[in-house]
Amino acid sequence: MKISFVLPGVSRVPVGGYKMIFEYANRLCRRGHDITLIFHCFSGMNRNQHIPKFVKLLYYYFGAYYFPTWFTLDSRIHKICKYKKLIDSELPDGDVICATAIDTAYEVAETASSKGKKVYFIQDYENWNGWTDDKVRKSYCLGMKNIVIAKWLQKIVKSAGADSILIPNGIDFKVFDVDIPISQRTKPIISMLYHKDEHKGSKYGIEALRRLKTKYPALQAILFGTPARPKDLPDWIQYIQNATQEQLRKIYNQSLIYLCPSIKEGFGLTGAEAMACGAAYVASDYGGVHEYTVEGRNVLLSAPKDVDGLINNISRLFDDEKKRIQLAENGYKDIKVLNWDDSVIQFENVIKEIL
């Protein structure tokens, strides 16, 4: 089958949502499908008005073919960059065309039938960047086949008056696995994703780490993210910018605990990756965490923005090695249900049903 994925611009740095689409693209390509990635840069062209238009044109044109440098795409995958509204004459004909974000949903819904049956891959409730709740909910009712990655998103789509198919994200267990046995990790190391967006809750996680350092002087922390190192980050905290998958595997394997202080998250991919590498998981109750965890069995949860709750849960694991090992081992076993082969087969079946 000929399948096109329409993404909202290029991805210069690691982004979880893009990573999922790239995984599907690679795996579907290996299964014999003809895959095209359409980088729809229209919204990006309208942002950052202080940057000359020709500079942005050059950036997106070359960026579409150069990026992603942080993820290896199958060389057989086609890549196209579009700077204006999607025009049917400039899009490849195919069997399926898939919107991957609110920024692409409305335009994909209007493409000609020759471009393929329309699918909407929903990874979060995207009421940001000027998109209102009303417009987001209406995007689920555009007549496309809705696929969601989480049960809580499925409920929202249903409340908007539309149906959806649930296909959980997969984890590549060849990339993320245990190298340092869980029971042999002794250094008090905590790892965490840093992000500037308020809903990622990074400031609450960093505050928890500051206070834990006083309680546990030997504490080490490793943060990773796409922005530059925060200027106010304590010197004792290590920071890795634009970590590769190999670096992430090493970080997770060094960690006793992976901390996720998010306020709102569609799924929480890094938490699942860390569990696959044997880190005990401590998180805020950000919603999507329930897609792959069970409180008390493979994660310790506290309310979003509750710094004391994060500190208490981390302290429980630092002070009780048996509990930490049990939580991490349960997480390592339980996360195996997120199998990429199953997700790709489900995706294929959805496509076959609508053709």
Side-chain angles (χ1 to χ4, degrees):
M1 289 184 282
K2 292 184 176 181
I3 305 169
S4 296
F5 291 96
V6 186
L7 297 106
V10 298
S11 179
R12 181 176 59 85
V13 296
V15 178
Y18 279 78
K19 184 177 181 179
M20 292 299 98
I21 300 305
F22 294 157
E23 286 280 7
Y24 271 108
N26 271 357
R27 292 167 187 275
L28 288 167
C29 183
R30 292 171 196 152
R31 291 174 67 85
H33 301 288
D34 187 349
I35 306 298
T36 299
L37 298 178
I38 301 171
F39 297 98
H40 188 25
C41 303
F42 180 71
S43 59
M45 288 294 296
N46 290 328
R47 299 190 189 111
N48 302 315
Q49 294 297 323
H50 62 286
I51 300 176
K53 184 177 180 180
F54 80 92
V55 173
K56 288 189 280 188
L57 283 170
L58 287 173
Y59 170 77
Y60 286 126
Y61 178 80
F62 289 106
Y65 297 97
Y66 179 71
F67 298 123
T69 55
W70 52 271
F71 187 98
T72 303
L73 284 171
D74 192 299
S75 60
R76 294 169 293 180
I77 294 174
H78 313 289
K79 295 196 286 185
I80 300 173
C81 187
K82 294 299 173 187
Y83 322 103
K84 301 179 181 180
K85 294 280 187 179
L86 296 182
I87 300 173
D88 287 331
S89 61
E90 298 177 354
L91 299 176
D93 289 344
D95 298 298
V96 173
I97 184 167
C98 180
T100 62
I102 182 69
D103 281 347
T104 65
Y106 281 90
E107 290 190 54
V108 168
E110 295 176 357
T111 56
S113 59
S114 60
K115 307 308 159 187
K117 296 289 186 179
K118 300 172 180 63
V119 173
Y120 187 8
F121 192 74
I122 303 165
Q123 302 191 70
D124 208 335
Y125 184 68
E126 300 175 271
N127 59 342
W128 52 69
N129 290 338
W131 291 100
T132 63
D133 289 317
D134 182 59
K135 290 291 286 184
V136 173
R137 291 171 66 85
K138 284 182 177 178
S139 73
Y140 306 146
C141 304
L142 294 172
M144 297 187 281
K145 187 69 174 182
N146 296 319
I147 296 175
V148 297
I149 65 166
K151 293 187 288 288
W152 71 271
L153 283 169
Q154 193 169 39
K155 291 178 181 178
I156 290 177
V157 172
K158 185 176 181 179
S159 71
D163 295 324
S164 64
I165 300 295
L166 172 63
I167 303 180
N169 285 334
I171 299 295
D172 190 337
F173 298 110
K174 293 180 181 178
V175 175
F176 298 105
D177 202 354
V178 169
D179 299 314
I180 301 175
I182 292 168
S183 61
Q184 294 180 22
R185 301 182 194 188
T186 56
K187 293 182 179 179
I189 298 176
I190 299 173
S191 56
M192 188 188 94
L193 169 68
Y194 171 77
H195 203 291
K196 288 183 176 180
D197 285 355
E198 181 70 22
H199 74 275
K200 294 290 187 178
S202 294
K203 65 179 181 181
Y204 304 106
I206 293 172
E207 177 59 24
L209 292 173
R210 289 180 192 270
R211 289 164 56 182
L212 283 162
K213 182 67 171 177
T214 301
K215 186 175 181 180
Y216 303 96
L219 173 65
Q220 299 176 49
I222 306 172
L223 270 60
F224 59 91
T226 58
R229 179 188 176 94
K231 293 180 179 179
D232 59 347
L233 193 66
D235 292 339
W236 62 270
I237 297 179
Q238 183 182 354
Y239 185 76
I240 299 175
Q241 186 178 17
N242 297 330
T244 63
Q245 293 192 129
E246 292 76 16
Q247 287 175 310
L248 288 176
R249 177 170 177 152
K250 184 177 180 180
I251 292 168
Y252 297 144
N253 267 275
Q254 289 176 313
S255 304
L256 285 186
I257 295 170
Y258 182 75
L259 173 62
C260 180
S262 287
I263 299 168
K264 176 181 174 290
E265 193 95 34
F267 185 79
L269 181 62
T270 56
E273 292 173 346
M275 289 169 67
C277 293
Y281 195 19
V282 172
S284 56
D285 194 346
Y286 58 76
V289 67
H290 295 285
E291 299 302 317
Y292 58 89
T293 65
V294 176
E295 162 65 12
R297 173 176 166 79
N298 51 33
V299 68
L300 295 183
L301 299 174
S302 55
K305 305 182 183 180
D306 181 4
V307 175
D308 288 335
L310 295 175
I311 292 172
N312 291 337
N313 283 336
I314 290 171
S315 297
R316 283 180 62 190
L317 299 183
F318 275 173
D319 297 340
D320 187 346
E321 183 181 18
K322 184 177 180 181
K323 175 65 177 176
R324 190 268 303 175
I325 291 173
Q326 181 184 49
L327 196 81
E329 288 182 342
N330 286 343
Y332 178 71
K333 295 173 185 174
D334 296 344
I335 206 65
K336 296 298 184 181
V337 299
L338 299 181
N339 184 290
W340 260 120
D341 290 338
D342 292 341
S343 296
V344 172
I345 290 171
Q346 288 181 66
F347 191 92
E348 276 186 326
N349 289 338
V350 170
I351 290 174
K352 291 174 182 177
E353 288 176 4
I354 63 177
L355 290 179

